[in-house]
Amino acid sequence: MKWSTVLQKVEQVVAACQAMAATPPGIVPLRVRSAWLVGDVLAGPRDDLDVVAVALAVDQDVAWGTQPQGAGQWLRAARLATAPVSVTWRPAHAVANHAVVRPLRCWDDADGADEAVLAAVRAGTAPALRSAAPTPQERAARLEADLATSLAALRRTSADVVEHRHSPGSPAKRADALADAAAGYLALLDARDARDARDAAGA
């Protein structure tokens, strides 16, 4: 995408979050509390991005690589399901982790769009607004917390598949949930192994 298109997609995400916040919970129950820009979109103008990476924070302990209940409906209603936007769902109390590194909040449900952040992204000065990198101890604690949440989700979805194996209807939705939970847990194990390897190499 051209940088001008990237900026349009950032604005689309912010506008979608604002519109969905005004949508009654009876229509779309999932509540997104904040939206964060992640990765290359924060590095400054460039024309080689395929997607705009964002993290959407909710009041749930979302396991890594999975979606909270109602996420598909939210994305369709927000018209982001087919947009060139890569969405990572995160718990509101812990948005950053090993992969969501120094994200920058562009919207929240209390104050709406952060115009200073959007202006900095347009100007290519967003790096100056990003938070400091976490300490190794903070990164390790976050990774262990994510692993615990992910393992619980893996056990829960696995038990659900077993319990409903012979139930009527299509098992695809439960199988997809199990696959997502398993893939997320394995990704976290890989991240921990990579960290341990780096630590061993530096010792």
Side-chain angles (χ1 to χ4, degrees), residues 15-191:
C17 288
Q18 191 66 33
M20 295 307 295
T23 303
I27 298 176
V28 181
L30 183 63
R31 301 284 94 182
V32 171
R33 299 306 180 189
S34 56
W36 303 68
L37 299 174
V38 181
D40 291 337
V41 70
L42 297 174
R46 54 191 301 173
D47 293 331
D48 60 346
L49 295 184
D50 294 323
V51 296
V52 173
V54 299
L56 299 181
V58 296
D59 291 330
Q60 301 176 35
D61 275 335
V62 185
W64 181 246
T66 70
Q67 297 184 345
Q69 185 174 4
Q73 179 195 22
W74 192 97
L75 290 171
R76 289 189 297 272
R79 298 183 179 179
L80 294 179
T82 59
V85 176
S86 174
V87 174
T88 298
W89 296 93
R90 293 295 293 159
H93 65 85
V95 176
N97 71 353
H98 69 288
V100 182
V101 180
R102 299 175 64 204
L104 195 55
R105 188 177 64 191
C106 59
W107 176 90
D108 68 32
D109 61 348
D111 300 318
D114 190 322
E115 296 298 343
V117 166
L118 297 178
V121 171
R122 287 191 290 268
T125 58
L129 299 182
R130 300 175 77 178
S131 60
T135 66
Q137 294 78 13
E138 290 169 339
R139 286 197 300 269
R142 182 68 259 152
L143 184 55
E144 292 305 316
D146 273 346
L147 274 165
T149 299
S150 187
L151 180 57
L154 181 55
R155 287 174 170 156
R156 184 173 60 251
T157 53
S158 179
D160 188 51
V161 167
V162 171
E163 180 181 354
H164 296 94
R165 179 170 293 164
H166 303 295
S167 298
S170 172
K173 186 174 182 179
R174 289 187 291 272
D176 286 346
L178 175 58
D180 289 345
Y185 184 65
L186 291 174
L188 291 171
L189 288 179
D190 288 344

